[in-house]
Amino acid sequence: MIVIVGYSGHACVAIETFSSMGLTVGAYCETAPKSDNPYQLEWLGSEQDEATAERMASADYFVGIGDGMVRMRVQQELQQRLGRNPLNAIHARAIVSSSVTMGAGLLVGAGAVINAQARIGEGAICNTASVIEHHCVISPYAHIAPGAILCGGVFVGEGSLVGAGAIIKPQIRIGRNVIIGAGTVVLRDVPDNTVLVGNPGTPLIRK
Ligand SMILES: CC(C)(COP(=O)(O)OP(=O)(O)OC[C@H]1O[C@@H](n2cnc3c(N)ncnc32)[C@H](O)[C@@H]1OP(=O)(O)O)[C@@H](O)C(=O)NCCC(=O)NCCS
């Protein structure tokens, strides 16, 4: 049985991604049972509870939390407590080069393409129909949103979000904790902790 931690939108995508692999998620962890339980999963309690940890001792697990910082905290705590890594969710209809290296607990969505020699860190999300070209490096807990295109040799720092449909020019370096807005075209390196929007991408100035 696979246990999923979290049961919101990203978890639903992960459950169906496992299903495409012929694997079944049977239970979930949340602090309280969800009123909406579309996959009829068993509620195990919070992953912080001792009793839940015991139930998870022999189960495979996956952290299905969309927020990168929360996903990082929860996944790292579980890896330490359970002494083993989560599964990877790689959709049966994703195209992933055999030369790609991957950390644990990541998700590759339907229609995503990951090309030669790319490196994808633990807990990262390469979402639906994203394109991650050769020699890209996606750091742990980063999120490449649906339809984003990363040309060859792009680096994305830890926990950063590349928004839906963004386009990143070859060899660009995106720092940690960055948000690239939906549809942004990135032509220059992006420092840590920046929000970038538009074409060409410029830092978001809040009025
Ligand atoms: C960049 C982003 C984080 C900003 O969100 P926000 O802080 O709530 O900003 P607001 O919506 O208040 O917009 C602030 C300004 O930035 C502009 N803006 C916001 N997002 C933009 C984008 N993607 N491209 C261009 N301009 C954008 C707004 O038009 C607004 O401009 P104004 O002040 O002239 O009216 C968000 O719009 C975004 O693009 N997020 C990515 C979503 C995504 O792809 N998620 C993946 C889910 S799977």
Side-chain angles (χ1 to χ4, degrees):
M1 176 181 72
I2 302 172
V3 175
I4 194 143
V5 180
Y7 196 6
S8 297
H10 180 54
C12 293
V13 173
I15 290 164
E16 297 196 10
T17 301
F18 282 120
S19 176
S20 80
M21 302 163 73
L23 301 173
T24 305
V25 174
Y28 70 100
C29 294
E30 281 274 359
T31 46
K34 300 279 277 190
S35 55
D36 186 26
N37 183 3
Y39 302 95
Q40 284 87 48
L41 306 185
E42 181 189 357
W43 176 60
L44 297 185
S46 164
E47 74 284 355
Q48 307 277 351
D49 299 342
E50 275 310 313
T52 309
E54 278 172 31
R55 297 280 310 274
M56 290 177 76
S58 59
D60 287 318
Y61 72 100
F62 184 84
V63 181
I65 297 172
D67 183 290
M69 289 301 153
V70 180
R71 190 168 67 257
M72 179 177 343
R73 179 176 53 72
V74 171
Q75 181 165 324
Q76 289 178 344
E77 275 173 18
L78 282 171
Q79 281 169 310
Q80 198 160 21
R81 276 173 68 197
L82 300 174
R84 62 209 158 72
N85 288 333
L87 294 180
N88 281 341
I90 301 172
H91 199 284
R93 291 195 184 87
I95 299 174
V96 181
S97 158
S98 59
S99 62
V100 169
T101 56
M102 291 185 171
L106 54 75
L107 181 138
V108 180
V113 178
I114 309 182
N115 219 328
Q117 305 293 336
R119 297 191 340 240
I120 317 293
E122 70 172 31
I125 301 172
C126 302
N127 222 324
T128 314
S130 57
V131 174
I132 293 161
E133 263 307 330
H134 63 90
H135 295 94
C136 282
V137 176
I138 310 302
S139 298
Y141 305 98
H143 178 178
I144 313 304
I149 298 177
L150 276 57
C151 297
V154 166
F155 176 94
V156 179
E158 194 172 70
S160 291
L161 167 68
V162 177
I167 298 176
I168 320 296
K169 198 180 128 174
Q171 308 296 334
I172 290 293
R173 191 176 177 88
I174 293 173
R176 300 178 79 241
N177 193 34
V178 164
I179 298 176
I180 305 294
T184 299
V185 178
V186 182
L187 303 177
R188 294 175 195 275
D189 290 355
V190 184
D192 295 349
N193 308 308
T194 306
V195 180
L196 205 76
V197 296
N199 179 8
T202 47
L204 175 61
I205 315 247
R206 291 180 199 285
K207 293 166 186 161

